């Protein structure tokens, strides 16, 4: 790579091709004022605030350093009297239109920091008319009297998050930031990702929780904690701002999964930590409080049927009840449900407790009800039950298929990378019986008939094989059973499958050709694929598509089942499943099991345990009599709620540990409080299989 040598403030420096003067100066430790440009990833410079002007020898006018790239031999001065005078004048003009710092919405904003550094905190110029505030949004406040029209919020909304809500409207002195058609922010199509709030350098856009009751002054944190978002499987890195031991605001960090981005849940969804209904003391069921499957939790008084107890008493009752069942009815009469919301360490300890303390492999968690079919197919087809590429690989793909998933709702930050790729020219194919937000970015939306996934995908496989679009070299080197697939797929022509799936044969052929011929194609899927009686077959078809075309193992290619909860991947890795010990070691293998027995100093059950669904059936059959459920809510997540609630009510002894009195906890004999995400340390494994630390 050819380096560009030029002079910066009298010193010879080097720049990489495409690197701007501002970037080189920053790397050299020089600070140039900047307001419309953010060094955070994905924010391109606009050059419209003119605060970063520098002088270039031999040129008549000053240049915006955030846009200008150096050339060989160029002489740049960032601190000449002419450059500094221009920088100060820009700041002074902007100060004129700002509320006074003492009464401004955010006196600690980026703008006021630069005003301080340049020594210009007051202005000689008359102030313009103030825009009125907008408090219509529940999570954010709009104070356009502080807006400098830098355009960062527009780029944040349109180019980073690709939500297309914020824009500039009107002309001349009337020009301003608007939401949709100049609607109040709370009535616009804003999805509350808060990217604009994080980008705003002046306080014109702010989180409502940081402002006082009068919505005028900001509350600052007394410390910051770098952690993770506790919601979906994307694994966004977050900085929590904490005051008086309460989270008051969350900012995105430049983590590998999110690059500063967050969604509404990650940025604003932390109030549950401090909710008045949080369990803070153990509860024990009252002697006369009979269990009834039809009882519902009363939101006004969730603690009905229970009394408070000390930790010593509650743990004693919980343990003795489980031990009694184990000793009287045997180890197979106990079971445990762990949680995909807990850390890897908690998942490991929970499965170890069930296997060594209870004495069987009757331990499972919610993965059984989400991507278990995908994992089974991936193990069968790739010998690995995880993704083969991160979701950010979409940026390197020419063709992106999204099937059985709604990422803009369930994985909003991952969806931004897909939308970014589509804006760059990637062809996005959305396959879904319903149209969704992502569909407006799609090259094709295949609105197939519900349940006809296999027919549609088999038609694509048929097209690729019959038209010779396969990667023969990849097939020969890395696959088995191709000849059998080739023979079986002959009957599944697009013409025969079209009436079944509702997609025209020519469209099926077009999409198949597009996927196979692209240099790089990637497939994302969700629980619309896996939660079927034929979920494993759905995933098998997707795996076959990737393998016969060689669209796996290279940048921009692969298979990615979008994991739902924040640690569903890590919980499985840690052994929180009935047929595998940690690291997917089969419980039936003597040689593998022996290492765990030696380490844990306990003889382990060689027979696979029962799954979530099987455990519920076993309770009804009278085989399981006691359970410990940590952080799961089968009374709300089980496929048959009445069946699950009747099972929970039937148990002789149920211990539940959770943040709140959930529908499941309502049937418990003992309820133990749990630590919220922000109250503990631990590692979590996201959908990309990145292991990250939460604090």
């Amino acid at each position: 790579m050819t380096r560009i040598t030029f002079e910066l403030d009298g010193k010879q420096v080097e720049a990489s091709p495409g690197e701007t003067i501002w970037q080189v100066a920053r790397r050299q430790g020089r600070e140039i004022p900047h307001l419309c440009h953010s060094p955070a990833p994905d924010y391109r410079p606009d050059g419209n605030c003119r605060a970063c002007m520098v002088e270039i020898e031999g040129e008549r006018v000053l240049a915006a350093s955030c846009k200008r790239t150096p050339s060989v031999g160029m002489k740049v001065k960032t601190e000449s009297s002419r450059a500094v005078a221009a920088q100060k004048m820009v700041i002074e003009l902007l100060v004129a239109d700002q509320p006074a710092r003492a009464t401004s919405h955010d006196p600690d904003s980026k703008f006021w920091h630069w005003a301080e550094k340049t020594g210009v905190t007051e202005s000689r110029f008359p102030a313009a008319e103030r825009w009125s505030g907008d408090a219509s949004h529940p999570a954010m406040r709009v104070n356009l009297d502080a807006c400098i029209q830098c355009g960062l919020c527009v780029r944040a909304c349109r180019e980073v998050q690709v939500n297309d809500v914020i824009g500039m409207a009107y002309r001349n002195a009337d020009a301003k930031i608007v939401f949709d058609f100049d609607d109040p922010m709370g009535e616009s199509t804003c999805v509350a990702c808060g990217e604009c709030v994080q980008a705003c350098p002046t306080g014109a856009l702010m989180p409502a929780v940081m402002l006082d009751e009068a919505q005028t002054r900001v509350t600052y944190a007394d410390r910051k904690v770098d952690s993770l978002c506790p919601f979906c499987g994307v694994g966004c890195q977050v900085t929590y701002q904490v005051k008086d031991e309460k989270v008051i605001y969350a900012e995105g960090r430049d983590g590998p999964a999110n690059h500063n981005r967050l969604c509404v849940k990650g940025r604003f969804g932390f109030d549950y930590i401090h909710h008045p209904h949080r369990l803070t003391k153990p509860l024990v069921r009252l002697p006369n409080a009979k269990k009834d499957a039809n009882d519902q939790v009363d939101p006004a008084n969730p603690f009905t049927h229970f009394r408070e107890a000390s930790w010593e008493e509650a743990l004693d009752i919980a343990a003795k009840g489980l031990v009694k069942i184990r000793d009287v009815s045997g180890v197979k009469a106990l079971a445990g449900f762990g949680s995909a919301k807990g850390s890897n360490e908690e998942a490991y300890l929970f499965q170890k407790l069930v296997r060594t303390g209870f004495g069987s492999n009757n331990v499972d968690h919610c993965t059984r009800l989400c991507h278990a079919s995908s994992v089974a197919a991936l193990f069968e087809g790739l010998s690995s039950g995880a993704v083969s590429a991160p979701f950010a690989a979409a940026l390197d793909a020419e063709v992106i298929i999204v099937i059985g998933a709604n990422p803009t709702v369930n994985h909003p930050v991952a969806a931004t990378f897909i939308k970014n790729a589509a804006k760059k020219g990637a062809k996005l194919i959305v396959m879904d019986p319903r149209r969704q937000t992502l569909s407006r970015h799609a090259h094709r939306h295949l609105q197939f008939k519900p349940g006809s996934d296999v027919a549609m995908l088999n038609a694509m496989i048929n097209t690729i094989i019959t038209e010779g679009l396969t990667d023969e070299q990849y097939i020969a080197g890395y696959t088995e059973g191709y000849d059998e697939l080739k023979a079986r797929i002959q009957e599944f022509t697009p013409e025969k499958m079209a009436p079944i799936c509702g997609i025209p044969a020519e469209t099926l052929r077009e999409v198949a050709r597009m996927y196979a011929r692209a240099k790089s194609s990637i497939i994302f899927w969700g629980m619309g694929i896996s939660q079927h009686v034929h979920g494993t077959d759905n995933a098998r078809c997707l795996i076959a598509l990737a393998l016969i075309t060689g669209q796996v193992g290279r940048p921009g290619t692969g298979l990615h089942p979008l994991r739902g909860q924040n640690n569903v991947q890590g919980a499985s890795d840690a052994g929180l499943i009935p047929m595998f010990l940690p690291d997917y070691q089969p419980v039936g293998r003597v040689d593998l099991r022996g290492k765990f027995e030696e380490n844990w100093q306990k003889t382990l059950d060689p027979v696979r345990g029962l799954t979530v669904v099987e455990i519920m059936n076993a309770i009804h059959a009278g085989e399981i009599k006691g359970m410990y459920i940590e952080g799961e809510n089968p009374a709300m997540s089980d496929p048959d709620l009445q069946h699950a609630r009747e099972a929970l009510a039937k148990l002789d002894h149920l211990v539940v540990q959770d943040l709140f009195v959930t529908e499941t906890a309502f049937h418990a004999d003992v309820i133990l409080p749990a630590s919220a995400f922000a109250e503990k340390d631990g590692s979590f494994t996201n959908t990309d299989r990145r292991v990250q630390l939460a604090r």
Side-chain angles (χ1 to χ4, degrees):
M1 182 172 65
T2 305
R3 307 281 288 180
I4 299 162
T5 304
F6 71 106
E7 187 179 291
L8 180 67
D9 291 332
K11 178 184 176 183
Q12 290 293 311
V13 297
E14 288 187 340
S16 302
E19 196 174 20
T20 64
I21 293 171
W22 186 91
Q23 289 171 321
V24 176
R26 182 172 182 250
R27 187 158 45 77
Q28 294 293 322
R30 287 174 171 77
E31 286 192 319
I32 302 175
H34 61 285
L35 293 167
C36 71
H37 171 43
S38 173
D42 305 320
Y43 280 86
R44 60 171 175 78
D46 239 11
N48 63 354
C49 77
R50 318 309 281 178
C52 69
M53 304 301 279
V54 296
E55 186 176 1
I56 299 174
E57 188 176 289
E59 295 192 5
R60 183 177 61 85
V61 296
L62 301 177
S65 61
C66 69
K67 295 286 288 183
R68 187 67 180 270
T69 54
S71 57
V72 175
M74 180 184 282
K75 296 183 178 181
V76 180
K77 297 176 182 177
T78 66
E79 297 174 345
S80 69
S81 57
R82 189 178 171 207
V84 170
Q87 294 165 8
K88 287 186 173 183
M89 179 58 74
V90 168
I91 299 294
E92 187 176 358
L93 287 165
L94 293 173
V95 167
D97 288 340
Q98 287 289 305
R101 186 173 189 180
T103 58
S104 66
H105 312 290
D106 186 4
D108 195 41
S109 68
K110 179 180 176 180
F111 173 82
W112 285 115
H113 276 287
W114 278 118
E116 235 176 36
K117 284 183 179 180
T118 55
V120 183
T121 54
E122 294 182 355
S123 179
R124 299 163 289 171
F125 304 109
E129 284 188 23
R130 301 279 182 241
W131 299 104
S132 58
D134 175 6
S136 62
H137 199 283
M140 294 176 279
R141 293 294 175 264
V142 182
N143 308 298
L144 289 188
D145 57 345
C147 179
I148 60 173
Q149 299 181 10
C150 62
L152 276 174
C153 61
V154 178
R155 275 167 280 163
C157 189
R158 290 189 169 185
E159 298 174 18
V160 179
Q161 293 275 350
V162 199
N163 289 321
D164 298 325
V165 178
I166 303 178
M168 289 287 294
Y170 307 111
R171 294 288 184 271
N172 303 322
D174 293 324
K176 68 168 186 171
I177 293 293
V178 297
F179 304 91
D180 291 339
F181 296 100
D182 201 8
D183 299 319
M185 190 185 200
E187 297 174 19
S188 71
T189 56
C190 171
V191 297
C193 69
E195 188 79 25
C196 57
V197 167
Q198 185 160 318
C200 180
T202 67
L205 291 163
M206 292 191 68
V209 291
M210 290 184 71
L211 296 170
D212 59 17
E213 289 184 8
Q215 299 295 299
T216 55
R217 297 306 306 276
V218 70
T219 301
Y220 292 114
D222 47 40
R223 66 189 178 97
K224 297 183 179 183
V225 180
D226 289 340
S227 191
L228 298 175
C229 172
F231 289 98
C232 76
V234 172
C236 296
Q237 292 192 10
V238 176
T239 296
Y240 289 114
Q241 300 197 18
V242 182
K243 183 175 179 63
D244 300 329
E245 290 308 302
K246 286 192 173 183
V247 177
I248 60 170
Y249 181 48
E251 287 183 315
R253 280 194 296 145
D254 190 14
N258 63 314
H259 296 292
N260 295 285
R261 310 172 192 198
L262 292 176
C263 73
V264 59
K265 291 179 283 188
R267 196 176 301 278
F268 301 114
F270 46 75
D271 51 347
Y272 72 93
I273 303 167
H274 315 297
H275 196 279
H277 287 172
R278 272 289 303 277
L279 285 167
T280 56
K281 295 180 180 179
L283 301 176
V284 174
R285 180 171 288 276
L286 294 168
N288 60 346
K290 303 297 182 184
K291 297 182 184 180
D292 188 332
N294 296 312
D295 278 354
Q296 299 293 319
V297 180
D298 180 3
N301 184 14
F303 308 117
T304 310
H305 305 329
F306 297 94
R307 65 171 175 85
E308 289 185 356
S310 67
W311 273 98
E312 290 76 10
E313 182 191 9
L315 288 171
D316 198 41
I317 294 171
K320 282 182 177 178
L322 295 168
V323 168
K324 181 181 177 182
I325 292 171
R326 184 192 65 184
D327 293 346
V328 173
S329 302
V331 296
K332 297 296 178 79
L334 292 177
F337 285 171
S339 175
K341 304 296 284 183
S343 66
N344 289 319
E345 293 76 16
E346 289 169 328
Y348 174 83
L349 288 172
F350 189 87
Q351 61 85 33
K352 183 182 177 183
L353 167 67
V354 174
R355 289 187 161 110
T356 61
F358 292 5
S360 76
N361 293 308
N362 291 340
V363 62
D364 206 357
H365 72 294
C366 70
T367 193
R368 191 66 42 217
L369 305 175
C370 55
H371 268 302
S373 52
S374 301
V375 171
L378 286 165
F379 260 117
E380 177 188 271
L382 299 179
S383 299
S384 171
V387 301
S388 70
F391 53 77
L395 295 171
D396 298 317
E398 288 186 3
V399 172
I400 303 166
I401 289 179
V402 176
I403 180 169
N406 192 351
T408 51
V409 173
N410 296 314
H411 303 85
V413 172
T416 65
F417 291 94
I418 297 172
K419 291 185 283 187
N420 293 156
K423 288 195 72 153
K424 281 172 54 182
K427 291 183 177 177
L428 173 61
I429 313 297
V430 177
M431 300 176 176
D432 200 309
R434 302 175 300 175
R435 292 192 69 81
Q436 54 174 278
T437 306
L438 207 58
S439 301
R440 72 185 182 92
H441 301 280
H443 178 72
R444 288 283 183 274
H445 180 105
L446 272 57
Q447 201 162 351
F448 61 93
K449 294 178 183 177
S452 63
D453 315 57
V454 171
M456 177 181 66
L457 297 171
N458 275 347
M460 291 176 60
I461 295 171
N462 175 281
T463 299
I464 291 167
I465 290 176
T466 56
E467 295 187 6
L469 302 176
T470 55
D471 186 333
E472 298 298 329
Q473 186 176 0
Y474 186 90
I475 291 169
Y478 299 102
T479 69
E480 297 173 353
Y482 172 68
D483 290 333
E484 186 180 353
L485 171 68
K486 186 175 181 180
R488 289 194 174 192
I489 207 71
Q490 293 300 319
E491 298 299 316
F492 295 89
T493 64
E495 285 72 22
K496 285 184 179 179
M497 297 301 104
I500 298 172
C501 66
I503 304 297
E506 194 47 47
T507 302
L508 293 170
R509 292 186 188 280
E510 177 195 357
V511 171
R513 292 165 184 156
M514 202 182 302
Y515 175 82
R517 288 172 176 165
K519 290 181 180 178
S520 53
S521 296
I522 191 168
I523 300 174
F524 295 95
W525 75 90
M527 284 174 255
I529 280 292
S530 60
Q531 292 185 351
H532 280 274
V533 290
H534 50 81
T536 305
D537 286 335
N538 291 343
R540 283 173 177 143
C541 290
L542 297 174
I543 294 165
L545 270 174
L547 294 182
I548 64 173
T549 54
Q551 297 287 12
V552 66
R554 294 178 286 107
T557 68
L559 296 151
H560 192 120
L562 289 157
R563 308 307 299 241
Q565 295 189 21
N566 62 325
N567 203 37
V568 71
Q569 182 66 59
S572 299
D573 294 345
L576 201 59
I577 39 181
M579 62 286 296
F580 293 116
L581 293 163
D583 198 26
Y584 302 99
Q585 308 298 297
V587 296
R589 287 272 300 272
V590 178
D591 54 332
L592 299 175
R593 191 176 66 252
K595 296 176 183 178
F596 287 93
E597 291 178 331
E598 180 183 351
N599 189 272
W600 293 344
Q601 298 181 4
K602 186 77 174 180
T603 301
L604 301 178
D605 185 0
V607 181
R608 70 178 286 277
L610 302 179
T611 65
V612 165
V613 177
E614 291 168 343
I615 287 170
M616 290 302 176
N617 291 334
I619 297 171
H620 280 282
E623 297 167 5
I624 287 181
K625 302 179 184 296
M627 284 192 72
Y628 175 21
I629 299 176
E630 176 238 8
E632 286 280 81
N633 193 7
M636 279 301 290
S637 63
D638 200 85
D640 187 340
L641 292 184
Q642 188 62 25
H643 181 264
R645 290 172 182 175
E646 288 173 358
L648 294 170
K650 189 176 179 180
L651 286 167
D652 293 345
H653 191 65
L654 173 60
V655 180
V656 174
Q657 187 168 13
D658 218 316
L659 304 182
F660 299 93
V661 179
T662 63
E663 291 80 3
T664 297
F666 195 66
H667 297 293
D669 295 280
V670 180
I671 306 176
L672 303 175
S675 300
F677 188 85
E679 297 166 344
K680 59 193 175 188
D681 293 348
S683 65
F684 294 77
T685 308
N686 78 340
T687 186
D688 286 344
R689 221 168 191 175
R690 299 182 194 274
V691 181
Q692 303 180 103
L693 186 64
R695 303 172 180 86

